[in-house]
Amino acid sequence: MANSSQREQALSLLAAANNHGDLAVKLSSLKQAKDILLNSPDLSLELFPFFVEIQSSHEPLVRKTLIEAIEEISLRKLEYSAVLMQVLLTLLSDDDSVVAKQSIVAGTHIFCKVLDELTLQFQRHGFVERWLEDIWSWMIKFKDAVLQIALEDKSVGPRLLALKFLETCVLLFTSDNDSRGYTNEVNRSVQVFNISWLAGGHPVLDSVALQSEANKYFMILLDLLRLASSLPGSITISVVNSIFSSIVQG
């Protein structure tokens, strides 16, 4: 449990991250606050309102750093991440493409981590804890939001990453695919979700529904390819690469 000194220090740092006039101080304060929360993750729950305030910062780099902090806390202390997911979802639609892109990257890493934990927890203990079910419900919202970004005529950068997320889902949810890993800049060890783990059933994940979703996303990629003449060149290249990867590795 966090002591009062840690709490006061974290509050002071988050206040500086939100209100200080110097960008370097804002960033340094936010990173220091993140380190405290990693060592005392229960503070994440208490200090969530201050994270909400920081997401409204006028500095895109502060908002991007906030997403990086949320990702690192979530990947290391997954059980505390549900309370941080609202910030992640909000910043998916950030006006600054760099912030929106970072939100997709962070969300994708957390999405994969949650899949791993859902399957491993059930395999090891025969049940899934409620907190993990709650986080998965946030991941479903994230997945649906990223799908909309992939389909909408928005900034190219976020859309490219949204398409990459669709490719990731196709690979993750396709049977007999041996290339469904993801890398994590925070923790270099790689977990690999395999849908075959769900063959005996799962209380939260439906393998048939997930494979149907993979087919849906693959058809979306094909439909986008048919519209190639009206898409930016980089989008078309991304779609082609995703289709090719899905066929070769699927």
Side-chain angles (χ1 to χ4, degrees):
M1 296 293 291
N3 58 41
S4 59
S5 175
Q6 289 174 314
R7 180 182 181 278
E8 292 306 315
Q9 185 181 5
L11 282 170
S12 176
L13 289 167
L14 289 172
N18 194 36
N19 301 316
H20 203 282
D22 188 291
L23 177 58
V25 173
K26 285 176 177 284
L27 296 176
S28 176
S29 298
L30 184 52
K31 290 175 182 177
Q32 291 179 65
K34 174 205 68 180
D35 291 338
I36 293 175
L37 295 179
L38 282 171
N39 292 320
S40 304
D42 50 296
L43 279 177
S44 301
L45 304 175
E46 181 183 352
L47 301 182
F48 175 62
F50 298 93
F51 275 90
V52 173
E53 290 181 13
I54 294 173
Q55 78 180 14
S56 301
S57 171
H58 296 302
E59 299 284 354
L61 192 53
V62 172
R63 301 196 300 276
K64 178 178 180 290
T65 302
L66 174 64
I67 289 296
E68 292 170 345
I70 288 173
E71 177 185 355
E72 189 169 352
I73 292 169
S74 298
L75 291 175
R76 293 194 185 183
K77 304 289 184 180
L78 191 59
E79 63 271 27
Y80 293 94
S81 65
V83 74
L84 304 175
M85 289 302 102
Q86 182 61 60
V87 178
L88 182 71
L89 288 177
T90 298
L91 294 179
L92 276 175
S93 57
D94 197 276
D95 291 335
D96 188 281
S97 65
V98 172
V99 178
K101 285 164 58 179
Q102 190 64 44
S103 300
I104 297 173
V105 170
T108 299
H109 291 161
I110 297 169
F111 182 87
C112 293
K113 179 71 172 180
V114 173
L115 272 176
D116 289 338
E117 189 61 29
L118 277 167
T119 51
L120 293 174
Q121 188 177 98
F122 183 63
Q123 285 180 344
R124 292 168 179 168
H125 307 293
F127 63 89
V128 172
E129 294 180 78
R130 180 58 183 270
W131 64 263
L132 190 53
E133 290 189 51
D134 291 343
I135 295 173
W136 179 243
S137 69
W138 282 107
M139 292 297 95
I140 292 173
K141 294 177 182 178
F142 169 80
K143 175 171 57 63
D144 292 343
V146 175
L147 173 60
Q148 290 304 309
I149 293 172
L151 295 175
E152 293 173 1
D153 186 17
K154 285 193 170 184
S155 179
V156 170
R159 195 175 185 191
L160 287 171
L161 287 174
L163 290 169
K164 189 66 178 177
F165 177 76
L166 295 190
E167 176 193 333
T168 297
C169 287
V170 171
L171 296 176
L172 286 168
F173 302 154
T174 300
S175 298
D176 302 323
N177 191 333
D178 295 325
S179 303
R180 293 182 298 275
Y182 72 95
T183 57
N184 174 356
E185 294 301 320
V186 177
N187 183 348
R188 294 291 180 175
S189 62
V190 177
Q191 299 273 6
V192 181
F193 171 80
N194 192 316
I195 200 166
S196 66
W197 294 353
L198 308 180
H202 192 280
V204 177
L205 301 174
D206 184 331
S207 62
V208 174
L210 292 177
Q211 289 179 74
S212 176
E213 199 161 77
N215 291 334
K216 171 187 172 182
Y217 292 163
F218 185 71
M219 293 306 299
I220 287 174
L221 292 171
L222 287 178
D223 288 342
L224 288 172
L225 185 60
R226 296 186 185 101
L227 299 172
S229 62
S230 62
L231 297 174
S234 57
I235 297 292
T236 300
I237 292 171
S238 178
V239 169
V240 170
N241 288 340
S242 293
I243 292 173
F244 179 76
S245 178
S246 300
I247 292 173
V248 171
Q249 299 182 39

